[in-house]
Amino acid sequence: MKFNVFQENIDENKYYIASYQIKSKTNLKEAAWNLAIGQSVGNPNVRNEWETEELFINHSCIILHEESELEALNEGVVKIAFPVINNDWETDGISHMLCQLMGGHVDIDIVLSCRLFDIKLPKHVEKHFLGPKYGISGFREYTSQYNKPLFGSIVKPKIGITPEVLLEMVKQMVDGGVDFIKEDEIMSNPSIAPLEKRVDIIANYLSKQSRKVVFCHTINCDPHILVDRVKKVYELGGNGVHINVYSGLGSYNSIRKLDLPLFLHFQSSGAKVFTDVNHRFSITWKVICYLATLMGVDTIQTGMIGGYSNDNPQEVMECINTLRNGNTLPALSCGLHAGLIDHITNIVGNDYLANAGGSVHGHPNGTTSGAKAIRQAIDKEYGDEYHIAIKKWGLIS
């Protein structure tokens, strides 16, 4: 084979570039070769009569390093260029790209670990993805909330309540001043509270309110049902859907391509199964956030600073910047309370969704007071509800 898989200069319009942190049993040259050939044209180390020079030129991945550079190392950064021509970007979407990026090479024994930490797509490829229908700017316009964090709350208990109880809970959250409400990811279509009944009763109530609130109904399910559920939420007057990562990364792209007037919330609970840095094979959360902006997610559970899920502020900020560049609203939750609002805002700025469940419903004076406490913290107009919340949860400076 005359074709050189190792090239430092390429036409970046013809490739999308992935960056990996790889550890090899032998050396990075062999690991990179196995990835590049195995994730494009064929068996890494067995050639056949069907593999023409033209096929390699058009369809093989490129290793963006000198051979000698990788031959001397068994651990480090490897950049691989994937041919754009190998994808139908309009229909293959995110799902097939991830199959290429994190596929068969993780089964090869010399690849001891492989973490995907960056993707760069050509602009003409990005154009196949719609981006958020609303995002940060749309949330602010819809709710008429500017120059401050947006306020979200979460339905608790997660499951086991009837639509009538849900409605009463929503009324109290709205009275307390929320901008956004989401059902928890544990709820989808339980017999005690079927999705259609929940959407109907909540949409009817919210349509009569003097100010607009986004409500994202959980619709987790398998692909053959998911699109139908999205359409049903729209038909019944709902204005948002909540989908957990386990419904599939490509699901967000599918829903966005319907182009319905619905806010799309990406719930990340469980994502550490494939993003945690301690795993041998993983994808960074920052990469997932970038993909979320492409696919048109309006808001995404991004992480938390100072809560019971206390993430590294620098890593959270990197993800937030990625999301803001794509107009996707970062949501921070998992232990958020009124006493954390200023602390978080001082670190990340105003463009985030302060999302609270336990501290809203667990306020000593109930849900409405719990919502008012956080509303007061955001608006910096402190009342009794705020001070009671601070006494219970503390003030973080």
Side-chain angles (χ1 to χ4, degrees):
M1 182 181 67
K2 298 178 181 178
F3 178 73
N4 184 15
V5 175
F6 294 87
Q7 300 179 30
E8 291 188 87
N9 298 307
I10 59 169
D11 182 348
E12 293 191 3
N13 285 316
K14 294 183 178 179
Y15 296 88
Y16 70 97
I17 300 171
S19 299
Y20 300 88
Q21 181 72 34
I22 294 178
K23 184 175 182 180
S24 172
K25 186 187 294 185
T26 55
N27 58 57
L28 286 183
K29 174 188 172 182
E30 289 190 28
W33 175 276
N34 277 269
L35 196 167
I37 303 302
Q39 292 307 105
S40 57
V41 295
N43 185 297
N45 299 303
V46 180
R47 308 277 58 85
N48 65 60
E49 62 180 306
W50 309 106
E51 296 175 353
T52 64
E53 191 75 10
E54 181 182 12
L55 183 144
F56 265 85
I57 290 171
N58 290 326
H59 299 282
S60 176
C61 287
I62 304 294
I63 302 169
L64 299 176
H65 301 265
E66 292 183 1
E67 290 186 60
S68 58
E69 174 191 352
L70 298 181
E71 204 165 20
L73 302 170
N74 66 358
E75 185 173 2
V77 172
V78 174
K79 292 188 175 184
I80 306 291
F82 290 76
V84 168
I85 196 175
N86 289 354
N87 298 58
D88 177 348
W89 292 97
E90 194 61 34
T91 60
D92 293 348
I94 294 293
S95 299
H96 187 59
M97 181 172 70
L98 286 171
C99 177
Q100 294 171 333
L101 290 167
M102 290 298 289
H105 65 283
V106 305
D107 300 323
I108 296 172
D109 63 353
I110 69 162
V111 182
L112 298 178
S113 65
C114 180
R115 183 164 172 83
L116 174 64
F117 68 86
D118 192 41
I119 305 173
K120 182 181 179 181
L121 298 182
K123 293 297 183 184
H124 70 92
V125 170
E126 286 188 336
K127 289 179 181 178
H128 287 277
F129 300 94
L130 298 179
K133 188 173 184 68
Y134 299 103
I136 298 170
S137 55
F139 257 93
R140 292 204 178 283
E141 182 178 355
Y142 186 83
T143 60
S144 298
Q145 295 286 351
Y146 299 96
N147 303 316
K148 64 180 75 172
L150 289 143
F151 174 24
S153 191
I154 308 161
V155 173
K156 304 285 183 182
K158 295 182 175 184
I159 200 165
I161 59 174
T162 64
E164 292 73 25
V165 172
L166 174 63
L167 176 61
E168 181 56 35
M169 188 188 301
V170 169
K171 288 179 178 179
Q172 293 188 33
M173 286 190 277
V174 171
D175 288 346
V178 300
D179 305 310
F180 168 90
I181 301 171
K182 75 176 182 70
E183 296 170 338
D184 199 275
E185 71 272 5
I186 300 302
M187 185 185 291
S188 187
N189 193 38
S191 59
I192 193 172
L195 176 64
E196 290 190 22
K197 187 169 183 181
R198 300 197 319 268
V199 177
D200 183 59
I201 198 169
I202 298 302
N204 182 58
Y205 166 72
L206 290 179
S207 68
K208 299 173 182 177
Q209 302 312 299
S210 59
R211 62 185 186 85
K212 292 182 178 179
V213 174
V214 176
F215 190 102
C216 286
H217 291 276
T218 301
I219 58 169
N220 296 326
C221 57
D222 291 334
H224 66 294
I225 300 295
L226 192 64
V227 169
D228 289 339
R229 284 190 177 173
V230 174
K231 291 178 179 177
K232 182 58 66 175
V233 170
Y234 165 67
E235 290 167 1
L236 292 172
N239 65 12
V241 290
H242 164 173
I243 302 168
N244 182 260
V245 65
Y246 284 129
S247 286
L249 286 173
S251 66
Y252 304 99
N253 193 34
S254 298
I255 291 168
R256 178 65 182 92
K257 295 232 173 182
L258 293 174
D259 202 25
L260 296 173
L262 295 172
F263 287 83
L264 177 55
H265 176 72
F266 182 134
Q267 181 62 28
S268 64
S269 297
K272 286 183 180 178
V273 167
F274 54 86
T275 64
D276 193 277
V277 69
N278 297 307
H279 298 172
R280 289 199 300 135
F281 303 102
S282 58
I283 304 172
T284 65
W285 180 236
K286 182 181 175 182
V287 166
I288 302 299
C289 288
Y290 166 64
L291 296 179
T293 67
L294 288 180
M295 293 186 292
V297 169
D298 294 300
T299 181
I300 182 171
Q301 167 54 32
T302 309
M304 184 57 191
I305 297 171
Y308 63 77
S309 176
N310 190 12
D311 299 310
N312 182 300
Q314 182 178 348
E315 293 177 1
V316 173
M317 200 64 233
E318 288 176 355
C319 292
I320 287 175
N321 287 333
T322 296
L323 293 166
R324 287 174 178 167
N325 286 338
N327 194 35
T328 293
L329 179 64
L332 300 186
S333 71
C334 293
L336 188 142
H337 55 77
L340 275 168
I341 295 296
D342 285 347
H343 174 67
I344 294 171
T345 305
N346 287 338
I347 295 172
V348 309
N350 284 325
D351 283 333
Y352 74 97
L353 179 67
N355 218 14
S359 65
V360 169
H361 305 297
H363 190 282
N365 292 344
T367 294
T368 300
S369 293
K372 285 183 176 180
I374 295 179
R375 180 80 268 166
Q376 290 164 8
I378 290 173
D379 294 344
K380 300 184 184 300
E381 297 175 356
Y382 309 111
D384 291 342
E385 294 85 359
Y386 171 82
H387 293 296
I388 291 171
I390 296 305
K391 185 176 180 180
K392 182 175 178 67
W393 284 288
L395 178 64
I396 310 298
S397 58

